[in-house]
RNA sequence: GCGCAAGUGGCGUAAUGGCAGCCGCGCUAGCCUUAGGAGCUAGUGCCCGUAAGGGCGUGGGGGUUCGAAUCCCCCCUUGCGCACCA
C-alpha cells in the first residue's frame, strides 16, 4: 500500500534542512541580478493567525519564485519591536517590555519556521535593540544637523488614555488610532521632523511609482493635499481706537493692520463680499470693536472648548460672529465686514479667508444665514445667458443684495467671469492665472502653494521607544548628543505606573547627565521617538545589518536598494509608506544612498476575515497558524490562503475550503504513486513525433498551464495560478487512469507540476521531488539538489499550440452551434462549414446573410 | 458631501469585447472500502419539458457594437479613502 500523505512528518524535516543549509541566506553576487523582496516587518505581538499567513505566504512565494528564476534574492525579516502594547501590558502585569518583546520574537520565529517561511536570518534586526536604535538616534541627529528636526510649542493631539501625544496621522475622526479614546488638544513643546520641506518631492515622485496601486498613490496625494493659489493682503479700515463702526467706503488708515488670506480661487476676488478669520487668529483681539467684544470673546471660548470632531464636522450648521471691523477688498475697494467663524481653520493657509459666497458653497451657506451680500462672478457659459455688451456680463445675473428678495444662486462651475472689472469675459479656464497676474502687478498679493501635510510630530511621552538623543544644559541650551556617544541607552530599571509623564522622567540616573559641550550638569530629553521613526529606515539596515560604523554602507545600500517588491497591509498606505519615502529622500540628500524612492513595486494584500470581521483575539475569531499546521500542515494553509480569492481583496475564512485544499494535496501526493520519474524541467524543443494523441494533449495542457501560472504569478493573481494547477492535475489524473504514470509525457507533467507548486507548497514538492528524482536517470536531481534549486519551468509555444479548435457559431450574436475544426482552418472553410451546419440552417433559411464576422480560431457570427 | 473600488449560481470566485459560471466549497444520487478529516462515478444557474429541445440570466435602466459581465451614460447598493483644507 502506498504511503499516505503525512504533512507533519515531511514538513519538519525540510524546515530543518532549509535552515541548516542556510539556503536562503544571501550575499551580493556579481554574476546574478539582485532581487530585494520584503514583507513589512511585524510588531511582535506573539501569535500569528491566517491573516498573517496570507501575508508571509505571498512574500515567501515571491522569494522562492524569483530564486528559481535565477535572481540573487534577498528576503530578510525583522521586528518592529518598540511600541505601546508591550508597555501597557507591563503596567498591567509587571512584565518588562524587553522581556515580553524578546519572548514574543522567539515565539513568532517558531511560527515562521513551522509555516516553512524562509528568511535570511543572518540579517535579522529588532528595532528595540541598542545596535539598531543607536542608528535610529544617529539618523535623528542627521535630521537635526540638516535642520529637519526641531522643537516647538504647539497645540498637539493628546491621547488621555495612552498619555502621549500623537501625530496628525495617528488621529482618526478625532480619536486615537490605537486605543480609540477621544483626542484632546494640549499646548506642549515637542519634537518635529520637517517633512513639509519634502512635500513637493513626495507628491511629484509619486508619478515615478508606477508599480504601486493607484489607490495608495491617490491616498498619499490627498494626504499631502497640495493646492495652488494666492496670498492676498486685505487692509483693515476701522478698529476700536480710531473707527469703531461703519467704515464703508473709507480709505485704509496708515496704522491699520493688514490681514493676509489664502485662496485657491484668486480669480473670484471681485466677489469677495466679506472676510472670515479663524477664532484663534491673532488679529481678532486687535480689530474687534468694543460693541462686539463680548460676543466675540464668548464665541472664541466656545470654539476652544469644542472637540476636533464637533468642530470639523461638515454637517454642522455654520456659526460665526461679526467683529465690528471692516477690511477693504483690494480689487473692488469696497469695505467688507470681518467675521470670525470656526469653519475657518487657524492651521491651514493663513487662518483667514476672503469669502466669495457667489461661488463657494461654504461661504454661500454662511452668507445666507447671516444675510451677507452675494455677488456672482462666474456665469455659466451654457448659452442660456445673454451677454450684455456694455458691462460684459450676462444680463440675467445681477448683483442683488439679499434684502431685495431671495438670494442669488451660487455657481462654481465653468463659465465666464462677470462683475469682475478687468477680468470680465475671461473664461474660467484662464481666469486663475489672469487674476494672479493682475494681483501681483498691483502689489496686492502673490501666487503661493499650500499643503494639508503638517510637520511630523515624533515625541512620545512613553518608555518603550528610542530615546531622543538631546541634552538640555543650563548654559549651552539644547545640545545634541555627539554621535560617538551613541546609543543613548534605554535604562531597564524603570517603574511602570499609569501616569502622565514618560517613565524615563523618573529615572534619575538617566535624566541627570553632563553636557557634552561644557561638561556641566545637564538633563536628558525624556521623550522617546514615535515607533514610525524606527520603521522608516529598516529596509536600509537589512542591506548591511552588522555595520557598527554607520547605519549602513553606501556600497551595500546601492547594491540592494531599492526594494524590488514590497508587500504589506493597506493600512500602512499613508503613514509608514510616506515616512519611509521621506527618510529615503533625506538619506539620499545626505549622500548615503543613491535611491530616491525606497520601494519600486508595492503590493497591498487584503485581510482575512472570519464571521465578517478582521481576525483578532478580542473578537475571538482567530484561526491560529499553529492549529492549521497541526491539522493539515503548512502547505495546505499556505496554498489555501493563496487560493481563497484575489490577494488584494479581503477574503472570508472557510474551514471547509481548507479541508478541500488538504484533499487537493492528497491528490497531488497520489499522482506520484508508483514508478514516477522526473524529466528535464524545460520541455522546449522536445521531439513529440512518436507521441500518442493523449501524450500530446497532456503536454499541451502542461505548457498552457506553465504559461498561465507564470503570467498570473507576475500579476499577483495567485488564486488563478492555483486553479490552473488544479486543472492540470485533473488532466494528469485522467491520463494516468488511461495510460499509467510511466510515460515520458507523464514524467514531464509531474516535473512541471512540482516546479510550479514549489513556491506555494514548498514541503510536499520538495519531498516528492526527492522521492521521484531518486529513480531518475536523465538528470542530477534526487541527491543534493532539491526542487527549490531548480530553474522555473520553461514554456514552449509549440507544445502549447492547439491542434483542434472549437469554433462557436452565432446567428445574430446568439450562440447556436459549435464545431471542432483543425487549428489552421481558413476563414472560407470556417464560414462554409458554419453555413452548412444542420442546426444553423433553420435560422438562416429564406434570409439573406448580410454580414459574416469571423474571429480566427474562435467564432463565426452570421448576421441575417 | 467629494473621490476611488466593487456588485456574476446556495458560497468563495473565473472569464477584460467573442461559448457566462473555469477551479474549489457545499449539495444530490450511486459505487467502493484494511470505516477515512478517505476515494471513485454522475449531476448541480433559473424556468418550461420524461426527453430532445427551448426560453431567461452577470445590481436596475438606457446606449455603442455583428457581438457586452467586460466599453459609455444615468440610477441603486456595499466597501474604502478624504471630509468646512478656502
Amino acid at each position: 500500500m502506498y504511503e499516505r500523505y503525512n504533512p507533519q512528518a515531511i514538513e519538519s524535516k525540510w524546515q530543518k534542512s532549509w535552515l541548516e543549509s542556510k539556503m536562503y541566506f544571501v550575499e551580493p553576487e556579481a554574476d546574478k541580478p539582485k532581487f530585494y523582496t520584503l514583507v513589512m516587518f511585524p510588531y511582535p505581538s506573539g501569535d500569528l493567525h491566517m491573516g498573517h499567513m496570507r501575508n508571509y505566504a505571498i512574500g515567501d512565494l515571491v522569494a522562492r519564485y524569483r530564486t528559481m528564476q535565477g535572481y540573487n534574492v534577498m528576503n530578510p525579516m525583522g521586528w518592529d519591536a518598540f511600541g505601546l502594547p508591550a508597555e501597557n501590558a507591563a503596567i498591567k502585569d509587571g512584565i518588562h517590555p524587553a522581556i515580553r518583546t524578546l519572548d514574543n520574537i522567539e515565539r513568532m520565529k517558531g511560527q515562521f519556521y513551522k509555516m516553512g517561511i524562509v528568511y535570511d536570518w543572518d540579517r535579522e534586526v529588532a528595532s528595540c535593540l541598542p545596535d539598531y536604535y543607536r542608528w535610529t538616534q544617529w539618523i535623528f541627529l542627521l535630521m537635526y544637523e540638516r535642520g529637519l528636526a526641531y522643537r516647538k510649542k504647539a497645540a498637539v493631539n493628546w491621547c488621555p488614555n495612552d498619555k502621549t501625544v500623537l501625530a496628525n496621522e495617528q488621529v482618526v475622526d478625532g480619536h486615537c488610532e490605537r486605543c480609540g479614546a477621544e483626542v484632546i488638544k494640549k499646548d506642549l513643546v515637542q519634537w518635529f521632523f520637517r517633512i513639509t520641506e519634502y512635500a513637493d518631492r513626495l507628491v511629484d515622485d509619486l508619478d515615478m511609482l508606477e508599480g504601486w496601486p493607484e489607490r495608495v498613490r491617490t491616498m498619499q496625494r490627498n494626504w499631502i493635499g497640495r493646492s495652488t493659489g494666492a496670498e492676498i493682503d486685505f487692509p483693515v479700515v476701522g478698529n476700536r481706537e480710531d473707527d469703531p463702526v461703519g467704515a464703508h467706503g473709507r480709505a485704509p488708515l496708515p496704522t491699520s493692520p493688514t490681514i493676509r488670506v489664502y485662496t485657491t480661487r484668486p480669480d473670484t476676488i471681485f466677489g469677495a463680499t466679506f472676510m472670515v478669520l479663524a477664532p484663534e487668529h491673532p488679529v481678532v483681539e486687535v480689530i474687534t470693536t468694543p460693541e462686539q467684544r463680548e460676543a466675540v470673546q464668548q464665541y472664541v471660548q466656545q470654539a476652544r472648548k469644542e472637540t476636533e470632531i464637533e468642530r470639523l464636522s461638515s454637517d454642522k450648521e455654520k456659526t460665526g460672529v461679526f467683529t465690528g471691523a471692516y477690511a477693504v477688498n483690494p480689487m473692488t475697494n469696497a469695505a467688507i465686514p470681518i467675521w470670525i467663524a470656526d469653519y475657518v481653520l487657524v492651521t491651514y493657509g493663513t487662518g483667514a479667508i476672503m469669502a466669495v459666497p457667489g461661488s463657494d458653497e461654504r461661504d454661500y451657506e454662511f452668507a445666507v444665514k447671516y444675510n451677507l451680500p452675494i455677488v456672482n462672478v462666474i456665469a455659466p457659459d451654457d448659452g442660456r445667458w445673454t451677454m450684455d455688451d456694455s458691462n460684459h456680463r450676462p444680463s440675467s445675473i445681477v448683483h442683488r443684495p439679499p434684502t431685495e428678495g431671495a438670494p442669488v444662486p451660487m455657481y462654481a462651475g465653468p463659465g465666464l467671469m462677470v462683475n469682475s472689472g478687468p477680468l470680465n469675459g475671461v473664461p474660467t479656464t484662464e481666469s486663475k492665472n489672469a487674476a494672479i497676474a493682475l494681483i501681483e502687478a498691483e502689489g496686492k498679493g502673490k501666487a503661493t502653494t499650500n499643503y494639508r501635510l503638517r510637520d511630523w510630530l515624533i515625541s512620545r511621552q512613553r518608555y518603550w521607544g528610542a530615546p531622543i538623543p538631546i541634552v538640555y544644559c543650563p548654559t549651552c541650551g539644547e545640545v545634541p548628543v555627539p554621535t560617538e556617544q551613541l546609543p543613548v541607552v534605554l535604562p531597564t530599571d524603570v517603574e511602570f505606573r499609569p501616569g502622565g509623564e514618560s517613565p524615563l522622567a523618573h529615572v534619575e540616573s538617566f535624566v541627570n547627565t553632563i553636557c557634552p559641550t561644557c561638561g556641566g550638569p545637564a538633563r536628558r530629553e525624556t521623550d522617546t521617538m514615535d515607533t514610525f521613526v524606527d520603521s522608516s529606515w529598516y529596509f536600509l539596515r537589512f542591506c548591511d545589518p552588522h555595520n557598527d560604523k554607520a547605519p549602513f554602507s553606501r556600497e551595500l545600500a546601492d547594491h540592494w536598494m531599492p526594494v524590488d517588491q514590497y508587500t504589506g497591509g493597506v493600512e500602512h498606505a499613508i503613514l509608514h509608506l510616506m515616512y519611509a519615502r521621506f527618510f529615503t529622500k533625506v538619506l539620499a540628500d545626505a549622500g548615503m544612498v543613491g535611491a530616491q524612492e525606497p520601494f519600486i513595486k508595492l503590493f497591498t494584500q487584503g485581510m482575512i476575515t472570519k464571521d465578517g470581521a478582521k481576525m483578532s483575539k478580542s473578537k475571538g475569531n482567530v484561526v491560529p497558524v499553529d492549529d492549521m499546521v497541526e491539522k493539515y500542515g503548512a502547505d495546505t494553509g499556505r496554498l489555501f490562503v493563496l487560493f481563497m480569492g484575489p490577494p488584494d481583496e479581503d477574503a472570508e475564512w472557510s474551514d471547509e475550503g481548507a479541508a478541500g485544499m488538504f484533499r487537493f494535496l492528497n491528490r497531488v501526493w497520489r499522482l506520484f504513486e508508483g514508478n514516477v520519474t522526473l524529466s528535464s524541467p524545460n520541455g522546449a524543443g522536445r521531439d513529440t513525433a512518436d507521441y500518442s494523441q493523449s501524450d500530446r494533449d497532456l503536454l499541451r495542457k502542461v505548457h498552457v498551464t506553465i504559461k498561465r501560472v507564470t503570467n498570473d504569478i507576475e500579476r499577483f493573481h495567485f488564486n488563478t495560478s492555483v486553479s490552473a494547477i488544479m486543472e492540470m492535475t485533473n488532466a494528469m489524473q485522467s491520463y494516468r487512469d488511461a495510460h499509467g504514470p510511466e510515460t515520458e509525457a507523464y514524467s514531464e507533467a509531474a516535473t512541471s507540476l512540482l516546479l510550479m507548486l514549489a513556491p506555494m507548497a514548498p514541503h510536499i514538492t520538495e519531498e516528492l521531488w526527492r522521492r521521484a528524482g531518486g529513480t531518475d536517470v536523465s538528470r542530477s536531481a534526487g541527491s543534493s539538489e532539491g526542487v527549490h534549486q531548480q530553474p522555473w519551468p520553461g514554456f514552449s509555444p509549440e507544445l502549447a499550440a492547439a491542434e483542434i479548435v472549437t469554433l462557436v457559431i452565432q446567428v445574430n450574436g446568439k450562440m447556436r452551434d459549435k464545431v471542432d475544426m483543425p487549428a489552421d482552418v481558413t476563414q472560407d472553410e470556417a464560414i462554409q462549414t458554419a453555413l452548412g451546419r444542420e442546426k444553423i440552417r433553420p435560422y438562416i433559411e429564406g434570409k439573406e446573410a448580410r454580414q459574416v464576422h469571423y474571429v480566427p480560431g474562435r467564432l463565426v457570427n452570421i448576421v441575417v
Side-chain angles (χ1 to χ4, degrees):
Chain A
M1 179 64 198
Y2 186 57
E3 200 183 322
R4 287 186 52 206
Y5 171 45
N6 181 356
Q8 286 76 16
I10 293 169
E11 291 181 352
S12 53
K13 180 172 71 183
W14 293 117
Q15 285 155 6
K16 194 158 173 273
S17 155
W18 295 328
L19 189 66
E20 284 177 355
S21 66
K22 299 197 169 190
M23 202 172 134
Y24 288 89
F25 286 40
V26 71
E27 289 305 328
E29 279 182 46
D31 56 341
K32 271 186 179 178
K34 68 96 183 180
F35 194 93
Y36 185 177
T37 173
L38 185 62
V39 174
M40 291 176 187
F41 72 162
Y43 176 79
S45 56
D47 290 301
L48 298 179
H49 55 66
M50 295 313 292
H52 300 109
M53 192 190 253
R54 186 184 213 188
N55 200 196
Y56 301 115
I58 292 171
D60 199 57
L61 186 164
V62 170
R64 292 178 186 266
Y65 170 70
R66 294 293 176 197
T67 300
M68 289 174 81
Q69 285 191 321
Y71 288 96
N72 188 37
V73 172
M74 173 156 82
N75 184 35
M77 185 39 71
W79 313 97
D80 189 13
F82 274 135
L84 270 176
E87 188 172 348
N88 286 342
I91 293 167
K92 230 188 233 164
D93 61 22
I95 297 172
H96 196 282
I99 292 171
R100 180 191 307 273
T101 302
L102 294 176
D103 197 55
N104 282 351
I105 287 174
E106 281 317 300
R107 286 238 305 284
M108 283 174 67
K109 271 180 96 163
Q111 290 170 70
F112 281 136
Y113 182 83
K114 277 200 260 182
M115 286 190 283
I117 309 283
V118 287
Y119 293 114
D120 179 350
W121 285 113
D122 191 44
R123 293 177 187 270
E124 179 181 8
V125 301
S127 62
C128 66
L129 298 178
D131 65 1
Y132 183 89
Y133 70 69
R134 168 183 180 187
W135 301 112
T136 305
Q137 292 171 337
W138 191 96
I139 294 170
F140 174 94
L141 294 171
L142 178 81
M143 294 270 188
Y144 186 81
E145 197 180 296
R146 298 176 74 83
L148 296 169
Y150 68 96
R151 217 157 55 113
K152 75 169 180 199
K153 185 169 183 169
V156 298
N157 305 302
W158 176 263
C159 173
N161 183 48
D162 289 340
K163 316 264 193 244
T164 188
V165 302
L166 302 169
N168 286 336
E169 288 84 347
Q170 289 164 320
V171 181
V172 177
D173 288 338
H175 292 267
C176 172
E177 175 194 55
R178 191 177 294 280
C179 71
E182 196 171 292
V183 171
I184 56 173
K185 286 280 180 191
K186 254 194 171 180
D187 280 333
L188 289 173
V189 177
Q190 302 284 309
W191 284 96
F192 291 83
F193 281 158
R194 215 181 288 280
I195 191 171
T196 50
E197 191 152 303
Y198 283 73
D200 274 325
R201 283 165 67 188
L202 288 169
V203 180
D204 292 341
D205 289 356
L206 284 172
D207 295 339
M208 288 162 49
L209 301 176
E210 281 163 15
W212 282 38
E214 190 49 49
R215 182 162 78 110
V216 173
R217 292 201 278 174
T218 305
M219 281 164 75
Q220 292 214 355
R221 211 171 272 126
N222 291 344
W223 189 264
I224 296 164
R226 177 163 68 187
S227 73
T228 55
E231 285 184 358
I232 305 169
D233 289 333
F234 282 58
V236 177
V237 288
N239 59 32
R240 59 191 162 185
E241 270 95 35
D242 44 49
D243 191 305
V245 277
H248 279 88
R250 187 169 293 200
L253 301 170
T255 54
S256 297
T258 293
I259 299 175
R260 179 165 293 182
V261 304
Y262 172 72
T263 177
T264 55
R265 293 300 301 269
D267 49 336
T268 63
I269 189 168
F270 288 86
T273 51
F274 59 101
M275 237 178 144
V276 188
L277 310 185
E280 303 89 340
H281 196 289
V283 88
V284 170
E285 212 176 310
V286 181
I287 62 169
T288 302
T289 59
E291 288 81 0
Q292 291 298 103
R293 185 177 304 159
E294 202 180 316
V296 166
Q297 277 172 356
Q298 211 178 355
Y299 187 82
V300 170
Q301 262 166 30
Q302 199 194 320
R304 279 247 163 82
K305 261 194 302 190
E306 275 184 334
T307 65
E308 201 80 344
I309 344 160
E310 284 165 354
R311 183 155 167 192
L312 291 180
S313 143
S314 51
D315 348 309
K316 196 186 80 166
E317 197 185 325
K318 291 188 177 26
T319 58
V321 174
F322 180 41
T323 62
Y326 289 80
V328 169
N329 180 322
M331 287 296 132
T332 62
N333 276 325
I336 58 174
I338 305 171
W339 286 62
I340 61 170
D342 63 6
Y343 79 90
V344 175
L345 309 173
V346 74
T347 48
Y348 186 78
T350 59
I353 62 159
M354 63 177 205
V356 185
S359 54
D360 182 282
E361 206 158 332
R362 297 153 300 182
D363 299 343
Y364 181 76
E365 190 193 320
F366 195 79
V368 170
K369 177 168 177 184
Y370 292 106
N371 208 31
L372 293 156
I374 298 167
V375 177
N376 279 108
V377 288
I378 305 170
D381 189 14
D382 58 3
R384 284 189 296 153
W385 308 99
T386 51
M387 294 293 282
D388 178 340
D389 282 340
S390 62
N391 59 8
H392 297 282
R393 68 181 197 218
S395 50
S396 341
I397 293 189
V398 289
H399 175 193
R400 210 171 355 148
T403 46
E404 285 183 16
V408 295
M410 193 211 85
Y411 181 71
L416 300 174
M417 301 310 296
V418 291
N419 292 325
S420 293
L423 294 179
N424 278 344
V426 176
T428 41
T429 47
E430 299 159 25
S431 58
K432 192 166 160 178
N433 288 337
I436 288 174
L438 183 67
I439 291 162
E440 285 185 343
E442 295 193 12
K444 306 291 171 96
K446 62 177 198 313
T448 45
T449 302
N450 250 296
Y451 306 89
R452 211 189 78 107
L453 182 71
R454 303 266 77 95
D455 275 342
W456 174 13
L457 194 162
I458 60 149
S459 304
R460 296 292 181 273
Q461 291 69 48
R462 301 298 303 219
Y463 165 74
W464 193 230
I468 293 173
I470 292 286
V471 164
Y472 302 107
C473 170
T475 36
C476 311
E478 181 183 292
V479 181
V481 174
T483 51
E484 62 273 13
Q485 288 179 25
L486 295 180
V488 175
V489 176
L490 195 60
T492 51
D493 53 334
V494 174
E495 204 183 315
F496 297 99
R497 51 186 176 191
E501 248 175 311
S502 163
L504 287 181
H506 301 285
V507 184
E508 291 301 316
S509 58
F510 176 81
V511 175
N512 296 316
T513 186
I514 51 166
C515 171
T517 306
C518 70
R523 294 176 69 79
R524 282 193 193 281
E525 170 65 64
T526 58
D527 283 354
T528 55
M529 288 185 242
D530 182 2
T531 55
F532 277 107
V533 178
D534 310 327
S535 56
S536 292
W537 71 282
Y538 77 107
F539 43 90
L540 287 157
R541 183 67 179 174
F542 278 143
C543 301
D544 191 8
H546 305 296
N547 195 327
D548 59 0
K549 304 281 187 295
F552 50 88
S553 78
R554 166 116 199 197
E555 190 195 346
L556 286 169
D558 282 350
H559 177 81
W560 293 111
M561 288 295 288
V563 175
D564 295 279
Q565 178 63 57
Y566 198 34
T567 303
V570 74
E571 66 272 19
H572 294 112
I574 297 174
L575 303 182
H576 164 62
L577 289 169
M578 195 173 62
Y579 294 151
R581 294 180 61 222
F582 165 55
F583 265 52
T584 302
K585 287 178 191 305
V586 172
L587 294 168
D589 287 353
M592 293 178 63
V593 64
Q596 284 290 327
E597 283 289 337
F599 316 120
I600 289 184
K601 281 189 77 186
L602 172 71
F603 179 77
T604 54
Q605 91 280 353
M607 278 186 312
I608 289 188
T609 58
K610 186 156 187 278
D611 313 320
K614 181 176 183 169
M615 286 189 185
S616 77
K617 252 184 233 168
S618 57
K619 290 195 196 82
N621 62 348
V622 292
V623 179
V625 161
D626 284 351
D627 290 8
M628 184 70 213
V629 168
E630 209 175 295
K631 203 168 173 188
Y632 298 123
D635 284 338
T636 293
R638 294 175 54 145
L639 210 49
F640 183 56
V641 293
L642 294 171
F643 179 66
M644 285 177 81
D648 54 342
E649 287 172 27
D650 291 353
E652 172 72 13
W653 179 256
S654 150
D655 287 326
E656 293 77 21
M661 191 54 75
F662 182 63
R663 286 198 293 270
F664 169 71
L665 285 180
N666 275 284
R667 285 198 289 276
V668 169
W669 184 262
R670 286 195 304 271
L671 284 174
F672 286 81
E673 189 172 352
N675 188 23
V676 176
T677 56
L678 299 177
S679 69
S680 158
N682 191 337
R686 179 178 304 281
D687 180 11
T688 57
D690 60 341
Y691 275 31
S692 71
Q693 185 63 48
S694 7
D695 285 349
R696 283 203 298 273
D697 287 346
L698 180 63
L699 233 37
R700 179 171 316 115
K701 187 70 186 174
V702 169
H703 281 269
V704 166
T705 306
I706 292 172
K707 186 180 187 185
R708 282 179 61 188
V709 170
T710 309
N711 287 344
D712 285 348
I713 288 178
E714 292 289 339
R715 296 191 299 162
F716 273 52
H717 287 200
F718 309 122
N719 53 329
T720 51
S721 297
V722 177
S723 97
I725 292 173
M726 284 174 167
E727 278 184 58
M728 189 176 104
T729 58
N730 291 345
M732 283 174 72
Q733 185 62 56
S734 304
Y735 178 96
R736 192 190 155 109
D737 290 345
H739 309 285
E742 296 183 33
T743 69
E744 268 185 59
Y746 191 83
S747 181
E748 180 163 343
T751 306
S752 300
L753 171 64
L754 292 183
L755 292 171
M756 285 191 278
L757 214 45
M760 309 179 187
H763 311 87
I764 186 175
T765 48
E766 183 84 296
E767 178 73 17
L768 290 171
W769 182 270
R770 308 264 181 167
R771 288 180 180 220
T775 61
D776 178 38
V777 288
S778 65
R779 56 191 317 283
S780 64
S783 49
S784 62
E785 286 190 4
V787 71
H788 301 289
Q789 281 101 337
Q790 305 305 316
W792 185 251
F795 157 70
S796 156
E798 297 78 44
L799 294 178
E803 296 168 25
I804 302 291
V805 293
T806 302
L807 223 50
V808 172
I809 306 172
Q810 295 181 328
V811 178
N812 290 337
K814 270 196 190 304
M815 202 272 285
R816 294 301 180 185
D817 197 9
K818 298 179 198 183
V819 59
D820 283 345
M821 302 283 286
D824 56 358
V825 65
T826 65
Q827 174 159 349
D828 281 352
E829 277 169 344
I831 292 173
Q832 287 316 311
T833 310
L835 290 171
R837 295 289 288 182
E838 199 146 318
K839 279 186 173 177
I840 295 304
R841 234 175 279 144
Y843 293 103
I844 55 177
E845 209 121 83
K847 293 165 192 158
E848 192 192 343
R850 273 194 297 162
Q851 261 181 310
V852 181
H853 289 263
Y854 177 63
V855 182
R858 306 195 76 155
L859 93 163
V860 176
N861 187 13
I862 304 159
V863 187
V864 296

